[in-house]
Amino acid sequence: MNETGVTGWRYWQVLTQGYLGGLHTPHARQPWYPDGIEAVCNQDRDTHAPDQAPWPDCECGIRIMPRLDDLLDGIEDHPARTGITRRVWRVIGGAGYYQDRLMHGVLDVPDVIGQAIGWGRTEDACPWDDPPGTVRVQHARVGPVIYLSQHLARMAPAIRRRYPGTRVHVGHERGLPWLDEIHASQQAVAEPSS
Ligand SMILES: [Zn+2]
């Protein structure tokens, strides 16, 4: 355990009014207010209290991946572990949400991929629940850059109002090609042509 802050990557769904929210319990559909959210444990364990998340041998904590490539690989290669599966949209969004995603060809990607800033207690990945490269943090807020899937471009103004310190890039692609677009964009940031 340490108290070091970490900037990483993660994904969200777009909630009403432009808030971003997690996909998984206990943070599913909970708005990420601009000052951030705090992890809670809902595993009903006797080793630690709900407010002691993340805990070493548990599934609790807010997920962040320091390397973008780990997140993109996780979505494509470990859909059951990252939770970006068709079943997730049926469970969390309901039948109407699932049909909307099906129509737009985005059953396999999240709504938003971007940077998050984590702080407080930090733990390594849950070995049975997280794809490689994951860390779990106690507190997190939306970071300086996020990418919005093209099919939700209409939500960009509302998202910008909620997170005024965050640059919102609207994708030109949708579905898995959108992941390649994000990767290329970040490569351009890392290796600017002179
Ligand atoms: Zn726990």
Side-chain angles (χ1 to χ4, degrees), residues 6 10-11 20 26 62 65 70 73 96 101 110 145 163 185 189:
V6 56
R10 54 167 291 126
Y11 55 73
L20 306 187
I62 303 161
M65 302 181 93
D70 286 333
D73 290 347
R101 300 192 71 87
V145 174
Y163 307 98
S185 170
V189 172

Side-chain angles (χ1 to χ4, degrees), residues 40-43 45 48-49 52-55 58-61 136:
V40 294
C41 181
N42 67 346
Q43 297 297 316
R45 292 183 170 226
H48 58 288
Q52 288 180 300
W55 195 258
C58 193
E59 299 172 1
C60 54
R136 297 177 291 141

Side-chain angles (χ1 to χ4, degrees), residues 32-135:
W32 280 49
Y33 295 113
D35 57 352
I37 65 167
E38 181 170 10
V40 294
C41 181
N42 67 346
Q43 297 297 316
D44 195 24
R45 292 183 170 226
D46 54 14
T47 53
H48 58 288
D51 64 356
Q52 288 180 300
W55 195 258
D57 183 27
C58 193
E59 299 172 1
C60 54
I62 303 161
R63 267 62 174 180
I64 288 179
M65 302 181 93
R67 296 179 63 248
L68 174 62
D69 285 356
D70 286 333
L71 180 70
L72 300 179
D73 290 347
I75 293 171
E76 292 201 47
D77 301 338
H78 306 278
R81 289 181 124 191
T82 50
I84 301 296
T85 65
R86 293 159 189 237
R87 189 168 66 89
V88 163
W89 304 120
R90 285 200 187 93
V91 170
I92 293 180
Y97 200 55
Y98 177 81
Q99 284 302 320
D100 181 70
R101 300 192 71 87
L102 182 67
M103 185 180 76
H104 286 97
V106 290
L107 283 171
D108 301 314
V109 299
D111 295 340
V112 179
I113 290 173
Q115 290 178 327
I117 296 170
W119 70 96
R121 281 192 299 275
T122 302
E123 290 291 341
D124 292 336
C126 172
W128 63 87
D129 199 40
D130 295 329
T134 305
V135 298

